[in-house]
């Protein structure tokens, strides 16, 4: 299946338009943002029943493949509701069109797919409906704390989680054994393994660090406990990309890059795909969507891969980060907020629908209900030697630390990455200096946009 990687490939792609334009667009919908206390009265079941038995047409913007399967389940339960399922382009094109529609006041969908890191760019202008009064307040217990913290602020719920990407390590069991390398359990072991593997295989590497992909590096920051971003929902942000923990991560990878024991190839390119098939890379620090992606990319290596925990900074305190993940949000401009909210809830929390997303469209599920369902958890993957990879990543998901926040201009943050830290990676220069340049660039941008920067 190609869609997960395609979607996340766009995570590292900057919007063609400047973020200043994007921010202006985000603010076009009016309304207040921030807060954390749900002010709207709770919608009664009678109101929901009335709305769901009224002829209504909803528009859903999403790039999830075959989402019509879940939509059909919804319209089967609610035959009065019609849903126009529209794919306006994954990632950046999707957000650009959302912002344009919000700004113009015309053509915006009722429900839209929004990745975690882009939620604040829409709460900035008050463009997302608080779903708490519509039933979202009752599903919190279904999710790990870190997942719920991505979609909520206090009592306000901005979106319904759809998929997540807790980070683990995929590795070639045969290649590591041939090189006499054990799967590393700590980052110190990883660095030692990278040198040993490179020495035994001068034409290949234990792993690659992609200079074009901020999502992976940010997940490394998430794991170590760095919290480089915060946003209070108004005009106050924190930019702390050059913290001691972040510098530790940058120096760790920078040292390996300088020694030439990890490659710095751009990811999601033909050459990078081939690297998994031809043995150039023996391991990949990957998100939970990686195992399915790899099956399609490196078919001829089936049976040779395994999945394990992400190497740890402190083996006594297992922790992971998250790379990717998305939600369904309801736009405040929807003229049918009850029906729209029930669509977002149904697709992602109805048992049959959510299980289809996990087992047929291979989105890694955010909810404990699906994570622990035998139909998902007990799947043995031949590509991974029969290992129950879903169960492995379910365990990893439980170690992801909560309260990782984003800025309301992540499009600029990610585009600036390739000009600063990513550039240092690609050129094999000082990555800590590159990290500082990233910090300076993002902080300056925030100030230029009128944010108060801590």
């Amino acid at each position: 299946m190609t869609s997960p990687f395609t979607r996340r490939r766009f995570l590292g792609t900057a919007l063609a338009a400047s973020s200043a334009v994007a921010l202006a667009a985000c603010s076009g919908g009016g309304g207040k943002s921030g807060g954390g206390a749900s002010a709207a009265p709770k919608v009664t079941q009678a109101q929901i029943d009335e709305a769901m038995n009224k002829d209504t047409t909803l528009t859903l913007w999403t790039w999830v493949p075959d989402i019509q399967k879940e939509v059909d389940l919804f319209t089967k339960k609610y035959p009065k509701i019609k849903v126009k399922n529209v794919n306006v382009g994954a990632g950046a094109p999707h957000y650009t069109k959302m912002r344009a529609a919000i700004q113009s006041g015309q053509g915006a969908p009722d429900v839209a797919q929004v990745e975690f890191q882009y939620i604040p760019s829409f709460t900035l202008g008050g463009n997302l409906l608080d779903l708490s009064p519509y039933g979202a307040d009752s599903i919190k217990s279904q999710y790990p704390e870190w997942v719920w913290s991505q979609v909520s602020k206090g009592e306000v719920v901005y979106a319904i989680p759809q998929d997540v990407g807790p980070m683990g390590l995929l590795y070639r069991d045969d290649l590591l054994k041939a090189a006499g390398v054990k799967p590393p359990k700590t980052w110190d072991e990883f660095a030692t393994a990278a040198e040993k593997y490179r020495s035994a295989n001068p034409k290949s590497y234990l792993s690659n660090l992609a200079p074009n992909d901020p999502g992976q590096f940010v997940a490394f920051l998430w794991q170590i406990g760095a919290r480089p971003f915060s946003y209070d929902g108004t005009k106050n942000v924190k930019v702390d990309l050059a913290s001691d923990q972040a510098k530790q991560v940058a120096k760790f990878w920078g040292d390996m890059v300088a020694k030439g024991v990890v490659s710095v190839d751009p990811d999601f390119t033909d050459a990078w795909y081939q690297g998994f098939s031809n043995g150039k890379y023996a391991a990949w620090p990957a998100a939970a969507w990686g195992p399915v992606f790899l099956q399609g990319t490196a078919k001829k290596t089936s049976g040779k891969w395994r999945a394990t925990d992400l190497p740890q900074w402190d083996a006594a305190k297992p922790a992971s980060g998250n790379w990717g993940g998305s939600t369904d949000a309801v736009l405040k401009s929807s003229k049918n907020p009850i029906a729209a909210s029930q669509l977002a809830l149904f697709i992602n929390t109805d048992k049959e629908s959510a299980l289809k997303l996990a087992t047929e469209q291979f989105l890694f599920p955010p909810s404990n209900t699906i994570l622990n369902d035998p139909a998902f958890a007990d799947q043995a993957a031949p590509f991974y030697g029969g290992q129950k990879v879903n169960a492995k990543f379910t365990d990893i998901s439980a170690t992801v630390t909560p309260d990782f926040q984003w800025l309301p201009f992540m499009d600029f943050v990610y585009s600036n990455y390739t000009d600063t830290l990513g550039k240092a990676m690609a050129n094999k220069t000082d990555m800590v200096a590159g990290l500082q340049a990233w910090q300076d660039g993002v902080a300056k941008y925030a100030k230029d946009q009128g944010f108060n920067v801590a």
Side-chain angles (χ1 to χ4, degrees):
M1 142 150 194
T2 58
S3 294
F5 93 82
T6 301
R7 176 164 63 83
R8 288 165 178 81
R9 174 64 185 89
F10 278 97
L11 293 181
T13 305
L15 292 176
S18 74
S19 291
V21 173
L23 282 170
C26 285
S27 300
K32 296 181 179 180
S33 60
S38 181
K42 188 169 180 62
V43 176
T44 67
Q45 187 59 51
Q47 290 174 305
I48 293 174
D49 293 341
E50 180 182 1
M52 304 312 285
N53 282 287
K54 175 183 174 184
D55 288 327
T56 302
T57 298
L58 300 173
T59 302
L60 168 65
W61 282 12
T62 179
W63 62 87
V64 172
D66 298 326
I67 192 71
Q68 192 62 43
K69 293 180 179 179
E70 289 75 26
V71 170
D72 287 345
L73 292 174
F74 175 77
T75 54
K76 182 180 179 180
K77 182 175 181 180
Y78 302 108
K80 292 280 190 179
I81 310 293
K82 295 181 179 178
V83 179
K84 292 182 179 178
N85 174 27
V86 182
N87 182 347
V88 298
H94 172 95
Y95 298 121
T96 299
K97 291 174 183 175
M98 271 185 68
R99 287 162 177 148
I102 290 169
Q103 188 174 34
S104 69
Q106 295 182 339
D110 296 282
V111 181
Q113 184 176 359
V114 180
E115 289 155 305
F116 290 136
Q117 70 270 29
Y118 290 112
I119 289 175
S121 72
F122 292 99
T123 63
L124 172 67
N127 303 130
L128 302 185
L129 184 70
D130 174 12
L131 298 176
S132 181
Y134 299 86
D137 58 338
S138 66
I139 63 171
K140 177 180 178 180
S141 62
Q142 297 181 22
Y143 299 92
E145 181 184 359
W146 75 267
V147 173
W148 196 249
S149 71
Q150 289 290 297
V151 299
S152 63
K153 187 176 182 65
E155 297 177 7
V156 178
V157 182
Y158 292 114
I160 307 302
Q162 184 158 81
D163 70 297
V164 294
M167 290 278 288
L169 182 70
L170 306 179
Y171 66 93
R172 281 279 298 270
D173 187 53
D174 58 329
L175 295 181
L176 263 60
K177 285 179 177 175
V181 172
K182 293 182 178 179
K185 294 182 179 180
T186 66
W187 285 115
D188 283 344
E189 291 180 5
F190 186 93
T192 301
E195 289 194 43
K196 186 175 182 179
Y197 189 85
R198 179 69 170 159
S199 178
N201 300 277
K203 293 184 178 180
S204 60
Y205 300 87
L206 177 67
S207 189
N208 179 67
L209 181 66
N212 62 321
D213 203 327
Q216 184 186 44
F217 190 84
V218 168
F220 291 145
L221 299 185
W222 188 327
Q223 182 206 19
I224 200 172
R227 293 295 181 264
F229 317 121
S230 71
Y231 170 51
D232 72 351
T234 59
K235 297 293 286 184
N236 301 307
V237 300
K238 184 188 78 172
V239 182
D240 195 18
L241 281 161
S243 66
D244 288 346
Q245 290 166 310
K247 288 178 180 176
Q248 184 178 343
V249 175
K251 185 177 187 308
F252 172 78
W253 284 98
D255 287 348
M256 289 191 293
V257 169
K259 291 177 181 177
V261 298
V262 297
S263 56
V264 287
D265 302 328
D267 61 6
F268 301 104
T269 65
D270 288 344
W272 183 78
Y273 303 145
Q274 293 166 10
F276 290 113
S277 292
N278 62 26
K280 181 177 182 180
Y281 316 125
W284 181 30
W289 43 266
V292 173
F293 159 74
L294 208 54
Q295 291 181 50
T297 302
K299 291 181 181 177
K300 71 178 185 181
T301 62
S302 180
K304 298 176 179 178
W305 289 86
R306 302 290 185 272
T308 190
D309 298 328
L310 198 64
Q312 297 295 306
W313 294 105
D314 182 350
K317 299 177 181 177
S320 186
N322 180 72
W323 179 10
S326 62
T327 70
D328 280 329
V330 176
L331 272 68
K332 193 175 284 184
S333 58
S334 174
K335 298 186 184 305
N336 300 287
I338 294 178
S341 63
Q342 299 313 297
L343 174 62
L345 281 162
F346 182 94
I347 286 177
N348 300 295
T349 64
D350 174 81
K351 181 71 175 294
E352 184 178 0
S353 178
L355 202 54
K356 277 184 179 292
L357 286 173
T359 61
E360 297 183 19
Q361 285 125 303
F362 306 111
L363 302 185
F364 194 81
S367 79
N368 292 321
T369 302
I370 304 303
L371 288 170
N372 295 312
D373 191 291
F376 174 76
D378 292 347
Q379 288 184 354
F383 189 86
Y384 295 89
Q387 184 181 4
K388 294 181 179 179
V389 175
N390 289 343
K392 179 73 256 181
F393 275 92
T394 293
D395 292 341
I396 292 171
S397 179
T399 69
V400 176
T401 52
D403 299 326
F404 193 94
Q405 298 186 40
W406 306 97
L407 294 172
F409 43 86
M410 288 305 297
D411 40 6
F412 177 83
V413 175
Y414 278 6
S415 66
N416 190 248
Y417 169 91
T418 57
D419 296 330
T420 53
L421 180 55
K423 186 176 182 180
M425 283 181 203
N427 293 337
K428 302 181 180 180
T429 56
D430 186 347
M431 280 183 53
V432 174
L435 184 73
Q436 185 64 53
W438 193 20
Q439 160 72 26
D440 295 343
V442 173
K444 180 180 185 304
Y445 178 83
K447 291 176 182 175
D448 289 346
Q449 299 305 308
F451 288 99
N452 301 316
V453 181

